[in-house]
Amino acid sequence: MMISPESYYENYLKDKTADEILSAIRGLKSEIGRLKNIAEHPEYQCAIHPSEKVRISCNREYLERAKQALADMGVEYEPSKSELKAAEFNENIQYITSVTLSIGGYFYGNDEYKVVLMDNDALFSCGHSDIPSQPDEITVMDIDITKEEFLEELRRLHIGEWRKNYNTRRFGYGVCDGTQWSLEINYSNGIKTVKIYGDNAYPYNFDDLKALMGCYDSEEDDEDE
């Protein structure tokens, strides 16, 4: 059973020195990385509860509470390069103008899901083609979510922590046919477009992104009918 951030503080951080809290922070970051590696393995199957995904979420809360405990002591926490990158992504979320998720393969073409953000609206569309980035036909999707709600859900995905490229070679697998995907995020404030790619490998919370973009597997659709 997972504990609350305040219970974590009372049990593990209260009355600790700054060095001890910093050690706890390093331990939490290491554990989050370990859980991600498990959940992103090509052969991963959730075998325990709470799942790795839930434990990552809880450890994030513990990590933020530990940083706050350090700040309460007047000690400044120095974020790593990866943490600065994630923070920069979150700071620019409000300037996102469009998000495009493409998923496909050599034998079955490419599906493209796009969300355009303007005023307070999030406009969803999807299309399919045999050539990436050139959908044969665009279908507008009726998804009831505001721009603010979409961006808040996007923030919870922690995309700023994602790798630039996901592939099975990271786990010692060779190149094989299968599914390739790409994520493209554009901004209105002049910062560089974010582009992330994958080849038969995915971030641990990729299914959450698919759901947010209105992309569902056909098997899941059949089960819902």
Side-chain angles (χ1 to χ4, degrees):
M1 181 176 179
M2 310 308 289
I3 60 176
S4 70
E6 285 306 315
S7 294
Y8 172 78
Y9 170 80
E10 290 291 332
N11 293 331
Y12 299 101
L13 303 178
K14 188 176 182 180
D15 299 326
K16 299 294 185 181
T17 65
D19 285 342
E20 289 173 324
I21 293 177
L22 282 169
S23 178
I25 288 174
R26 289 191 293 270
L28 288 167
K29 289 165 61 175
S30 177
E31 177 65 3
I32 290 173
R34 185 186 73 84
L35 292 169
K36 283 184 181 179
N37 284 333
I38 293 173
E40 291 172 358
H41 193 281
E43 297 181 1
Y44 168 74
Q45 292 184 344
C46 181
I48 61 174
H49 296 282
S51 67
E52 283 79 8
K53 183 176 171 182
V54 170
R55 289 152 65 193
I56 288 171
S57 178
C58 291
N59 276 287
R60 285 189 193 281
E61 294 188 29
Y62 304 159
L63 179 58
E64 291 308 309
R65 187 62 184 89
K67 291 177 182 179
Q68 182 58 52
L70 203 62
D72 292 342
M73 299 174 68
V75 178
E76 183 177 356
Y77 173 72
E78 296 185 10
S80 65
K81 288 183 179 180
S82 60
E83 287 174 306
L84 289 173
K85 172 176 168 286
E88 181 182 14
F89 180 87
N90 285 340
E91 289 169 2
N92 286 291
I93 278 182
Q94 61 183 313
Y95 301 108
I96 292 176
T97 57
S98 68
V99 181
T100 304
L101 175 64
S102 298
I103 305 176
Y106 181 78
F107 295 105
Y108 50 89
N110 188 77
D111 293 320
E112 181 177 288
Y113 298 82
K114 186 170 185 176
V115 179
V116 176
L117 303 169
M118 50 191 302
D119 299 326
N120 193 43
D121 296 323
L123 308 178
F124 291 74
S125 64
C126 65
H128 178 83
S129 70
D130 294 326
I131 303 175
S133 301
Q134 296 184 27
D136 297 330
E137 183 177 343
I138 303 296
T139 301
V140 175
M141 296 189 289
D142 184 15
I143 298 180
D144 186 18
I145 183 174
T146 66
K147 174 182 176 180
E148 182 179 353
E149 291 169 339
F150 177 85
L151 293 178
E152 180 57 32
E153 290 301 316
L154 196 68
R155 185 186 303 275
R156 293 176 182 175
L157 294 177
H158 301 280
I159 292 175
E161 296 179 3
W162 286 15
R163 299 170 181 270
K164 290 296 184 183
N165 194 297
Y166 287 81
N167 58 70
T168 55
R169 291 189 296 275
R170 173 185 164 206
F171 300 97
Y173 289 71
V175 178
C176 59
D177 293 329
T179 301
Q180 290 74 49
W181 61 272
S182 66
L183 175 66
E184 182 174 304
I185 302 175
N186 293 294
Y187 298 83
S188 63
N189 61 342
I191 72 168
K192 186 177 180 180
T193 297
V194 170
K195 295 182 179 180
I196 303 174
Y197 303 92
D199 185 354
N200 296 306
Y202 312 87
Y204 74 96
N205 54 354
F206 188 71
D207 284 344
D208 293 333
L209 172 66
K210 289 172 60 180
L212 179 60
M213 297 294 293
C215 170
Y216 301 96
D217 295 332
S218 57
E219 293 83 356
E220 294 176 354
D221 293 339
D222 293 341
E223 290 176 1
D224 291 340
E225 292 178 357

